[in-house]
Amino acid sequence: MNTKDKIFEAAVNMFNEYGVANVRLQQIADESGISVGNLAYHFKNKEAIVSFVYDALFDEFSIILSDYLLEYSLLGINQQLEQYYTFFQKYKFYFTDIFEIERNYPSIISKWHHYINRMFLQIKARIDFDTSRGVMIAQSDEMNELLANNIWMSVIFWLPQRTLRGLPLEERLFKEAVWSQIIPYLSQRGQDEFVQLVYPSLA
Amino acid sequence: MKTGYYIDVETYKWLLQSINQMTLHESRRADDADTIFVRQGDWLSESAVLAHINKRKGTWCIDLVFAYPHEPIRLLIRKIATETSWHKACLRGAIFQRQAAKDQRGTIEPSLDAFSISNN
């Protein structure tokens, strides 16, 4: 692992533990096992580190978004949920520091809006696709929009609400929470597909 | 912060719709557009086949010539193999021709009427 990767890992750990606003360069340097001078050689200030971390965060988010419909069955939704869980677990500070970022890093917050909106559009498009495929019950566009909104909220806020309530974080529970939004809208064919392909991974 | 190229919301929606439509799923039956590649190659199985032996760069090349008897302008020549001697090339060419041709006796030939030659 090169020095920049060590700094990245250390910064993510520190941000998750203490929050972006409270982390000092000395802490990042200590965590990565280098001197502050060496850290300053790679990143001239804290804003540069924050930008670097968020660039990597958005790159990983793009990869998840680019897997849209890679697997067209309901298993594809499950696979994307697994990716989202790993992503939001790795970058826990995405939620805890959202207001700090909004105040002090406007370019980052506008990128967040971009990616979050893309995520919502994908969820809506996936509902349309599964409806045309016959695995979901056809509904009005407004209902599909509401359902997409509920699914999106489950994915984004499940981890923070579990943390707030002091409850354990488990991938299986996360997937169950999201699927509980979708299952009532599955057709008979969709339910059969869910039982056959997705349920074994939740049991 | 890295700046990237972003497409607007409407274009992204259109992109997602296109991906939805392009994805094959079993409830959609194949239509003509999906099987056109099969029909485009049909004429080869009805064609007359000739093995053409010629010398190129010191070796004997075996070409197979496919001619469609109902539309003689439809012609395809493909290089199949090379041999070091003329006799070997002829023998191999004959084997390839027998395997490729629908009519093993070699009696398929183009009809003169297929040319639609105008004498005016």
Side-chain angles (χ1 to χ4, degrees):
Chain A
M1 203 189 272
N2 65 26
T3 309
K4 243 181 169 171
D5 290 338
K6 284 186 200 169
I7 295 170
F8 171 78
E9 294 287 338
V12 170
N13 291 339
M14 291 289 107
F15 290 165
N16 280 335
E17 196 166 339
Y18 300 109
V20 173
N22 301 325
V23 170
R24 293 175 289 113
L25 292 181
Q26 185 65 57
Q27 286 173 290
I28 298 175
D30 291 344
E31 178 76 10
S32 44
I34 60 172
S35 67
V36 178
N38 195 355
L39 180 68
Y41 170 76
H42 291 281
F43 299 98
K44 65 177 183 188
N45 52 30
K46 188 174 156 188
E47 283 70 32
I49 296 178
V50 172
S51 285
F52 181 68
V53 166
Y54 270 92
D55 279 341
L57 183 154
F58 290 131
D59 282 346
E60 281 188 43
F61 205 153
S62 308
I63 292 170
I64 301 174
L65 289 176
S66 68
D67 283 349
Y68 175 72
L69 228 52
L70 214 58
E71 167 59 49
Y72 76 84
S73 71
L74 293 178
L75 205 57
I77 299 178
N78 210 45
Q79 286 165 354
Q80 247 192 338
L81 287 179
E82 285 165 7
Q83 288 177 294
Y84 278 128
Y85 180 80
T86 308
F87 174 79
F88 288 127
Q89 262 278 54
K90 181 176 174 182
Y91 298 106
K92 287 193 194 81
F93 60 88
Y94 80 93
F95 181 76
T96 54
D97 291 329
I98 195 82
F99 300 112
E100 162 71 20
I101 297 294
E102 191 166 3
R103 258 181 258 123
N104 298 317
Y105 302 92
S107 61
I108 292 177
I109 205 68
S110 72
K111 254 188 151 177
W112 251 133
H113 293 158
H114 168 86
Y115 280 98
I116 291 295
N117 285 328
R118 292 293 184 271
M119 183 183 167
F120 176 82
L121 288 173
Q122 267 201 9
I123 294 171
K124 175 99 186 1
R126 183 73 212 220
I127 293 170
D128 291 339
F129 174 73
D130 284 330
T131 306
S132 70
R133 205 161 65 89
V135 296
M136 286 187 79
I137 302 163
Q139 300 192 95
S140 66
D141 213 40
E142 288 79 22
M143 283 304 295
N144 280 345
E145 183 108 0
L146 281 170
L147 176 60
N149 200 43
N150 289 343
I151 295 169
W152 176 83
M153 283 200 294
S154 299
V155 174
I156 295 283
F157 296 117
W158 187 86
L159 274 147
Q161 61 90 20
R162 294 288 287 190
T163 309
L164 267 171
R165 293 165 63 191
L167 295 171
L169 302 172
E170 259 186 63
E171 187 181 290
R172 183 184 58 85
L173 297 174
F174 167 73
K175 289 197 284 192
E176 276 178 8
V178 180
W179 276 112
S180 67
Q181 307 282 333
I182 303 172
I183 288 168
Y185 300 94
L186 293 177
S187 62
Q188 186 57 53
R189 186 181 152 188
Q191 288 173 25
D192 294 339
E193 192 172 301
F194 175 81
V195 165
Q196 204 179 353
L197 295 178
V198 179
Y199 185 73
S201 75
L202 300 178
Chain B
M1 176 123 251
K2 266 194 292 189
T3 51
Y5 171 75
Y6 301 110
I7 54 176
D8 61 275
V9 169
E10 289 309 314
T11 310
Y12 190 68
K13 271 188 200 171
W14 173 85
L15 188 70
L16 291 173
Q17 295 282 355
S18 304
I19 295 172
N20 281 359
Q21 280 157 19
M22 270 180 356
T23 305
L24 295 171
H25 44 93
E26 62 273 24
S27 59
R28 187 176 76 85
R29 297 180 64 154
D31 55 27
D32 284 351
D34 295 322
T35 56
I36 199 164
F37 73 98
V38 174
R39 285 177 280 118
Q40 277 173 347
D42 270 352
W43 70 276
L44 280 172
S45 59
E46 302 281 333
S47 57
V49 184
L50 277 177
H52 176 57
I53 315 295
N54 61 99
K55 196 166 184 180
R56 285 201 289 266
K57 291 185 182 175
T59 56
W60 293 99
C61 296
I62 307 158
D63 296 338
L64 277 185
V65 181
F66 297 84
Y68 192 43
H70 307 295
E71 197 182 322
I73 204 76
R74 200 182 281 216
L75 200 73
L76 185 71
I77 302 173
R78 284 288 178 266
K79 179 183 162 188
I80 302 297
T82 56
E83 283 292 346
T84 49
S85 85
W86 183 76
H87 288 287
K88 277 191 195 172
C90 286
L91 183 65
R92 208 164 166 199
I95 293 167
F96 277 124
Q97 182 179 322
R98 264 210 319 263
Q99 283 179 331
K102 179 184 174 187
D103 179 20
Q104 300 293 330
R105 295 163 300 169
T107 53
I108 292 178
E109 54 188 35
S111 133
L112 204 60
D113 297 332
F115 284 97
S116 297
I117 296 168
S118 169
N119 293 318
N120 293 328

